Structure formats: C-alpha cells, structure tokens
mmCIF file of all heavy atoms in Angstrom:
data_model
loop_
_atom_site.group_PDB
_atom_site.id
_atom_site.type_symbol
_atom_site.label_atom_id
_atom_site.label_comp_id
_atom_site.label_asym_id
_atom_site.label_seq_id
_atom_site.Cartn_x
_atom_site.Cartn_y
_atom_site.Cartn_z
ATOM 1 N N VAL A 1 -2.848 23.525 8.682
ATOM 2 C CA VAL A 1 -3.819 22.532 8.246
ATOM 3 C C VAL A 1 -3.088 21.267 7.987
ATOM 4 O O VAL A 1 -3.604 20.177 8.431
ATOM 5 C CB VAL A 1 -4.403 22.976 6.781
ATOM 6 C CG1 VAL A 1 -5.254 21.937 6.311
ATOM 7 C CG2 VAL A 1 -5.279 24.293 7.188
ATOM 8 N N ALA A 2 -1.844 21.389 7.415
ATOM 9 C CA ALA A 2 -1.234 20.133 7.193
ATOM 10 C C ALA A 2 -0.748 19.470 8.466
ATOM 11 O O ALA A 2 -0.919 18.163 8.540
ATOM 12 C CB ALA A 2 0.133 20.488 6.372
ATOM 13 N N ALA A 3 -0.457 20.141 9.435
ATOM 14 C CA ALA A 3 -0.113 19.569 10.779
ATOM 15 C C ALA A 3 -1.271 18.999 11.397
ATOM 16 O O ALA A 3 -1.167 17.903 12.009
ATOM 17 C CB ALA A 3 0.507 20.726 11.672
ATOM 18 N N ALA A 4 -2.378 19.619 11.303
ATOM 19 C CA ALA A 4 -3.586 19.096 11.939
ATOM 20 C C ALA A 4 -4.064 17.816 11.279
ATOM 21 O O ALA A 4 -4.420 16.813 11.901
ATOM 22 C CB ALA A 4 -4.811 20.148 11.815
ATOM 23 N N LEU A 5 -3.905 17.653 9.999
ATOM 24 C CA LEU A 5 -4.259 16.483 9.250
ATOM 25 C C LEU A 5 -3.249 15.358 9.517
ATOM 26 O O LEU A 5 -3.732 14.188 9.570
ATOM 27 C CB LEU A 5 -4.236 16.768 7.677
ATOM 28 C CG LEU A 5 -5.511 17.647 7.181
ATOM 29 C CD1 LEU A 5 -5.224 18.087 5.830
ATOM 30 C CD2 LEU A 5 -6.701 16.952 7.276
ATOM 31 N N LYS A 6 -2.045 15.728 9.754
ATOM 32 C CA LYS A 6 -1.115 14.733 10.040
ATOM 33 C C LYS A 6 -1.444 14.091 11.346
ATOM 34 O O LYS A 6 -1.275 12.863 11.571
ATOM 35 C CB LYS A 6 0.321 15.277 10.078
ATOM 36 C CG LYS A 6 1.467 14.263 10.372
ATOM 37 C CD LYS A 6 2.776 14.870 10.349
ATOM 38 C CE LYS A 6 3.858 13.965 10.621
ATOM 39 N NZ LYS A 6 5.224 14.454 10.565
ATOM 40 N N GLN A 7 -1.900 14.900 12.297
ATOM 41 C CA GLN A 7 -2.262 14.355 13.701
ATOM 42 C C GLN A 7 -3.415 13.493 13.498
ATOM 43 O O GLN A 7 -3.660 12.567 14.307
ATOM 44 C CB GLN A 7 -2.537 15.587 14.679
ATOM 45 C CG GLN A 7 -2.941 15.191 15.977
ATOM 46 C CD GLN A 7 -1.689 14.563 16.708
ATOM 47 O OE1 GLN A 7 -0.698 14.748 16.438
ATOM 48 N NE2 GLN A 7 -2.139 13.584 17.693
ATOM 49 N N ALA A 8 -4.371 13.814 12.601
ATOM 50 C CA ALA A 8 -5.567 13.026 12.404
ATOM 51 C C ALA A 8 -5.293 11.623 12.062
ATOM 52 O O ALA A 8 -6.122 10.707 12.233
ATOM 53 C CB ALA A 8 -6.494 13.600 11.354
ATOM 54 N N PHE A 9 -4.160 11.346 11.435
ATOM 55 C CA PHE A 9 -3.750 9.990 11.076
ATOM 56 C C PHE A 9 -2.998 9.247 12.201
ATOM 57 O O PHE A 9 -2.679 8.105 11.986
ATOM 58 C CB PHE A 9 -2.961 9.976 9.909
ATOM 59 C CG PHE A 9 -3.736 10.267 8.439
ATOM 60 C CD1 PHE A 9 -3.921 11.499 8.064
ATOM 61 C CD2 PHE A 9 -4.137 9.252 7.830
ATOM 62 C CE1 PHE A 9 -4.595 11.803 6.855
ATOM 63 C CE2 PHE A 9 -4.909 9.448 6.623
ATOM 64 C CZ PHE A 9 -5.119 10.616 6.209
ATOM 65 N N ALA A 10 -2.853 9.915 13.287
ATOM 66 C CA ALA A 10 -2.294 9.157 14.464
ATOM 67 C C ALA A 10 -3.314 8.541 15.290
ATOM 68 O O ALA A 10 -3.879 8.977 16.245
ATOM 69 C CB ALA A 10 -1.477 10.198 15.236
ATOM 70 N N LEU A 11 -3.716 7.323 14.756
ATOM 71 C CA LEU A 11 -4.979 6.621 15.220
ATOM 72 C C LEU A 11 -4.545 5.416 16.104
ATOM 73 O O LEU A 11 -3.405 4.864 16.052
ATOM 74 C CB LEU A 11 -5.788 6.145 14.161
ATOM 75 C CG LEU A 11 -6.338 7.249 13.179
ATOM 76 C CD1 LEU A 11 -7.030 6.548 11.956
ATOM 77 C CD2 LEU A 11 -7.234 8.136 13.926
ATOM 78 N N PRO A 12 -5.316 5.045 17.095
ATOM 79 C CA PRO A 12 -5.082 3.734 17.809
ATOM 80 C C PRO A 12 -4.932 2.500 16.957
ATOM 81 O O PRO A 12 -5.307 2.529 15.794
ATOM 82 C CB PRO A 12 -6.412 3.663 18.734
ATOM 83 C CG PRO A 12 -6.931 4.949 18.681
ATOM 84 C CD PRO A 12 -6.587 5.642 17.421
ATOM 85 N N PRO A 13 -4.186 1.572 17.335
ATOM 86 C CA PRO A 13 -4.040 0.379 16.664
ATOM 87 C C PRO A 13 -5.337 -0.281 16.258
ATOM 88 O O PRO A 13 -6.309 -0.332 16.978
ATOM 89 C CB PRO A 13 -3.242 -0.576 17.572
ATOM 90 C CG PRO A 13 -2.574 0.240 18.523
ATOM 91 C CD PRO A 13 -3.479 1.446 18.700
ATOM 92 N N GLY A 14 -5.443 -0.781 15.104
ATOM 93 C CA GLY A 14 -6.647 -1.409 14.559
ATOM 94 C C GLY A 14 -7.664 -0.409 13.803
ATOM 95 O O GLY A 14 -8.683 -0.887 13.322
ATOM 96 N N LEU A 15 -7.263 0.861 13.837
ATOM 97 C CA LEU A 15 -8.186 1.849 13.130
ATOM 98 C C LEU A 15 -7.252 2.471 12.010
ATOM 99 O O LEU A 15 -6.116 2.621 12.050
ATOM 100 C CB LEU A 15 -8.602 2.874 14.276
ATOM 101 C CG LEU A 15 -9.524 2.548 15.330
ATOM 102 C CD1 LEU A 15 -9.895 3.747 16.209
ATOM 103 C CD2 LEU A 15 -10.784 1.964 14.674
ATOM 104 N N ARG A 16 -8.095 2.842 10.960
ATOM 105 C CA ARG A 16 -7.387 3.440 9.854
ATOM 106 C C ARG A 16 -8.434 4.590 9.234
ATOM 107 O O ARG A 16 -9.601 4.364 9.249
ATOM 108 C CB ARG A 16 -7.062 2.424 8.793
ATOM 109 C CG ARG A 16 -8.167 1.662 8.242
ATOM 110 C CD ARG A 16 -7.687 0.491 7.237
ATOM 111 N NE ARG A 16 -7.086 -0.532 7.952
ATOM 112 C CZ ARG A 16 -5.826 -1.058 7.550
ATOM 113 N NH1 ARG A 16 -5.181 -0.546 6.478
ATOM 114 N NH2 ARG A 16 -5.167 -1.997 8.188
ATOM 115 N N ALA A 17 -7.856 5.546 8.851
ATOM 116 C CA ALA A 17 -8.521 6.703 8.162
ATOM 117 C C ALA A 17 -9.094 6.258 6.933
ATOM 118 O O ALA A 17 -8.332 5.648 6.137
ATOM 119 C CB ALA A 17 -7.805 8.046 8.149
ATOM 120 N N HIS A 18 -10.328 6.743 6.486
ATOM 121 C CA HIS A 18 -10.827 6.430 5.215
ATOM 122 C C HIS A 18 -10.542 7.553 4.290
ATOM 123 O O HIS A 18 -10.897 8.652 4.493
ATOM 124 C CB HIS A 18 -12.366 6.062 5.185
ATOM 125 C CG HIS A 18 -12.849 5.450 4.024
ATOM 126 N ND1 HIS A 18 -12.539 4.214 3.470
ATOM 127 C CD2 HIS A 18 -13.659 6.041 2.960
ATOM 128 C CE1 HIS A 18 -13.179 3.955 2.438
ATOM 129 N NE2 HIS A 18 -13.811 4.997 2.071
ATOM 130 N N LEU A 19 -9.854 7.342 3.236
ATOM 131 C CA LEU A 19 -9.299 8.440 2.366
ATOM 132 C C LEU A 19 -10.441 8.965 1.359
ATOM 133 O O LEU A 19 -10.380 10.105 1.031
ATOM 134 C CB LEU A 19 -8.074 7.903 1.444
ATOM 135 C CG LEU A 19 -6.893 7.524 2.252
ATOM 136 C CD1 LEU A 19 -5.822 7.039 1.352
ATOM 137 C CD2 LEU A 19 -6.350 8.713 3.125
ATOM 138 N N GLY A 20 -11.317 8.046 1.021
ATOM 139 C CA GLY A 20 -12.357 8.502 0.167
ATOM 140 C C GLY A 20 -12.808 7.234 -0.729
ATOM 141 O O GLY A 20 -12.357 6.166 -0.498
ATOM 142 N N ASP A 21 -13.613 7.548 -1.684
ATOM 143 C CA ASP A 21 -14.316 6.538 -2.550
ATOM 144 C C ASP A 21 -14.054 6.927 -4.108
ATOM 145 O O ASP A 21 -14.214 8.166 -4.379
ATOM 146 C CB ASP A 21 -15.679 6.220 -2.186
ATOM 147 C CG ASP A 21 -15.914 5.792 -0.853
ATOM 148 O OD1 ASP A 21 -15.299 4.766 -0.512
ATOM 149 O OD2 ASP A 21 -16.652 6.525 -0.056
ATOM 150 N N LEU A 22 -13.909 5.971 -4.904
ATOM 151 C CA LEU A 22 -13.941 6.316 -6.258
ATOM 152 C C LEU A 22 -14.870 5.268 -6.971
ATOM 153 O O LEU A 22 -14.985 4.047 -6.544
ATOM 154 C CB LEU A 22 -12.661 6.210 -6.961
ATOM 155 C CG LEU A 22 -11.787 4.965 -6.828
ATOM 156 C CD1 LEU A 22 -11.615 4.431 -8.247
ATOM 157 C CD2 LEU A 22 -10.418 5.198 -6.270
ATOM 158 N N ILE A 23 -15.523 5.566 -7.960
ATOM 159 C CA ILE A 23 -16.477 4.614 -8.726
ATOM 160 C C ILE A 23 -16.144 4.791 -10.206
ATOM 161 O O ILE A 23 -15.971 5.733 -10.848
ATOM 162 C CB ILE A 23 -17.896 5.160 -8.460
ATOM 163 C CG1 ILE A 23 -18.913 4.208 -9.205
ATOM 164 C CG2 ILE A 23 -18.168 6.626 -8.832
ATOM 165 C CD1 ILE A 23 -20.339 4.304 -8.763
ATOM 166 N N VAL A 24 -15.971 3.529 -10.727
ATOM 167 C CA VAL A 24 -15.614 3.427 -12.184
ATOM 168 C C VAL A 24 -16.642 2.705 -12.978
ATOM 169 O O VAL A 24 -17.234 1.714 -12.525
ATOM 170 C CB VAL A 24 -14.277 2.568 -12.270
ATOM 171 C CG1 VAL A 24 -13.842 2.451 -13.705
ATOM 172 C CG2 VAL A 24 -13.169 3.121 -11.383
ATOM 173 N N SER A 25 -16.898 3.219 -14.122
ATOM 174 C CA SER A 25 -17.856 2.544 -15.048
ATOM 175 C C SER A 25 -17.165 1.513 -15.803
ATOM 176 O O SER A 25 -16.331 1.785 -16.742
ATOM 177 C CB SER A 25 -18.550 3.564 -15.978
ATOM 178 O OG SER A 25 -19.278 2.890 -16.993
ATOM 179 N N VAL A 26 -17.509 0.302 -15.595
ATOM 180 C CA VAL A 26 -16.948 -0.886 -16.515
ATOM 181 C C VAL A 26 -17.440 -0.819 -17.797
ATOM 182 O O VAL A 26 -16.747 -1.193 -18.744
ATOM 183 C CB VAL A 26 -17.161 -2.183 -15.637
ATOM 184 C CG1 VAL A 26 -16.691 -3.407 -16.569
ATOM 185 C CG2 VAL A 26 -16.658 -2.290 -14.310
ATOM 186 N N ASP A 27 -18.644 -0.340 -17.933
ATOM 187 C CA ASP A 27 -19.224 -0.107 -19.290
ATOM 188 C C ASP A 27 -18.293 0.809 -20.112
ATOM 189 O O ASP A 27 -18.020 0.434 -21.255
ATOM 190 C CB ASP A 27 -20.633 0.454 -19.181
ATOM 191 C CG ASP A 27 -21.705 -0.481 -18.659
ATOM 192 O OD1 ASP A 27 -21.438 -1.646 -18.547
ATOM 193 O OD2 ASP A 27 -22.767 -0.049 -18.247
ATOM 194 N N ARG A 28 -17.941 1.924 -19.510
ATOM 195 C CA ARG A 28 -17.069 2.858 -20.248
ATOM 196 C C ARG A 28 -15.702 2.302 -20.556
ATOM 197 O O ARG A 28 -15.238 2.590 -21.664
ATOM 198 C CB ARG A 28 -16.969 4.069 -19.390
ATOM 199 C CG ARG A 28 -18.119 5.061 -19.312
ATOM 200 C CD ARG A 28 -18.550 5.677 -20.595
ATOM 201 N NE ARG A 28 -19.480 4.755 -21.232
ATOM 202 C CZ ARG A 28 -19.612 4.713 -22.496
ATOM 203 N NH1 ARG A 28 -18.851 5.270 -23.478
ATOM 204 N NH2 ARG A 28 -20.536 3.813 -23.099
ATOM 205 N N ALA A 29 -15.159 1.616 -19.583
ATOM 206 C CA ALA A 29 -13.786 0.974 -19.777
ATOM 207 C C ALA A 29 -13.846 -0.058 -20.932
ATOM 208 O O ALA A 29 -13.013 0.006 -21.783
ATOM 209 C CB ALA A 29 -13.424 0.128 -18.588
ATOM 210 N N ILE A 30 -14.853 -0.787 -20.970
ATOM 211 C CA ILE A 30 -14.949 -1.866 -22.066
ATOM 212 C C ILE A 30 -15.122 -1.112 -23.437
ATOM 213 O O ILE A 30 -14.508 -1.391 -24.445
ATOM 214 C CB ILE A 30 -16.139 -2.737 -21.896
ATOM 215 C CG1 ILE A 30 -15.780 -3.642 -20.634
ATOM 216 C CG2 ILE A 30 -16.307 -3.651 -23.097
ATOM 217 C CD1 ILE A 30 -17.009 -4.553 -20.279
ATOM 218 N N ALA A 31 -16.090 -0.112 -23.570
ATOM 219 C CA ALA A 31 -16.261 0.574 -24.851
ATOM 220 C C ALA A 31 -15.329 1.391 -25.266
ATOM 221 O O ALA A 31 -14.814 1.327 -26.434
ATOM 222 C CB ALA A 31 -17.631 1.464 -24.593
ATOM 223 N N GLN A 32 -14.656 2.136 -24.455
ATOM 224 C CA GLN A 32 -13.564 2.963 -24.773
ATOM 225 C C GLN A 32 -12.305 2.314 -25.280
ATOM 226 O O GLN A 32 -11.674 2.645 -26.240
ATOM 227 C CB GLN A 32 -13.162 4.014 -23.595
ATOM 228 C CG GLN A 32 -14.189 5.004 -23.242
ATOM 229 C CD GLN A 32 -13.933 5.803 -22.041
ATOM 230 O OE1 GLN A 32 -14.727 6.595 -21.523
ATOM 231 N NE2 GLN A 32 -12.807 5.556 -21.300
ATOM 232 N N ALA A 33 -12.053 1.112 -24.596
ATOM 233 C CA ALA A 33 -10.941 0.342 -25.002
ATOM 234 C C ALA A 33 -11.185 -0.360 -26.363
ATOM 235 O O ALA A 33 -10.322 -0.382 -27.227
ATOM 236 C CB ALA A 33 -10.656 -0.824 -23.998
ATOM 237 N N SER A 34 -12.412 -0.862 -26.560
ATOM 238 C CA SER A 34 -12.627 -1.671 -27.789
ATOM 239 C C SER A 34 -12.943 -0.761 -29.041
ATOM 240 O O SER A 34 -12.812 -1.111 -30.163
ATOM 241 C CB SER A 34 -13.981 -2.496 -27.562
ATOM 242 O OG SER A 34 -15.141 -1.780 -27.154
ATOM 243 N N GLU A 35 -13.283 0.512 -28.747
ATOM 244 C CA GLU A 35 -13.644 1.418 -29.850
ATOM 245 C C GLU A 35 -12.476 2.303 -30.123
ATOM 246 O O GLU A 35 -12.596 3.250 -30.934
ATOM 247 C CB GLU A 35 -14.874 2.253 -29.501
ATOM 248 C CG GLU A 35 -16.100 1.482 -29.286
ATOM 249 C CD GLU A 35 -17.290 2.238 -28.743
ATOM 250 O OE1 GLU A 35 -17.103 3.520 -28.575
ATOM 251 O OE2 GLU A 35 -18.359 1.623 -28.450
ATOM 252 N N GLY A 36 -11.340 2.049 -29.504
ATOM 253 C CA GLY A 36 -10.166 2.884 -29.723
ATOM 254 C C GLY A 36 -10.315 4.336 -29.174
ATOM 255 O O GLY A 36 -9.746 5.281 -29.625
ATOM 256 N N ARG A 37 -11.027 4.384 -28.114
ATOM 257 C CA ARG A 37 -11.154 5.751 -27.366
ATOM 258 C C ARG A 37 -10.705 5.693 -26.028
ATOM 259 O O ARG A 37 -11.078 6.562 -25.091
ATOM 260 C CB ARG A 37 -12.606 6.086 -27.354
ATOM 261 C CG ARG A 37 -13.371 6.218 -28.702
ATOM 262 C CD ARG A 37 -14.738 6.816 -28.672
ATOM 263 N NE ARG A 37 -15.575 5.806 -28.085
ATOM 264 C CZ ARG A 37 -16.229 5.823 -26.871
ATOM 265 N NH1 ARG A 37 -15.942 6.882 -25.985
ATOM 266 N NH2 ARG A 37 -17.028 4.874 -26.600
ATOM 267 N N GLY A 38 -9.533 4.828 -25.825
ATOM 268 C CA GLY A 38 -9.132 4.677 -24.476
ATOM 269 C C GLY A 38 -7.843 5.478 -24.293
ATOM 270 O O GLY A 38 -7.544 6.348 -24.989
#
C-alpha cells in the first residue's frame, strides 16, 4: 500500500495531489481563547 501511494504522487509537472480538507470554526477559536478554554 505504501509503495502504491508513493507512486500516486509521481505526477506530471503542474499537477499536485490533494491531501484533504480541514474546516475550523472561528467562532470556537474566539470563544475558547477568550473564555480560558483554549
């Protein structure tokens, strides 16, 4: 599996694999920091 995945990243110039997405709540960041829950 590791070898196959390594080969998957051998892409032509100008292309890049997309690793994934993450989503952050700015509301939570502000509240947790200001309320001492960070």
Side-chain angles (χ1 to χ4, degrees):
V1 173
L5 288 167
K6 183 177 181 180
Q7 182 64 30
F9 282 90
L11 301 172
L15 294 179
R16 57 185 72 227
H18 193 70
L19 300 177
D21 298 303
L22 60 115
I23 180 167
V24 182
S25 170
V26 178
D27 291 343
R28 287 296 90 212
I30 294 173
Q32 290 171 183
S34 61
E35 296 169 8
R37 298 185 290 109

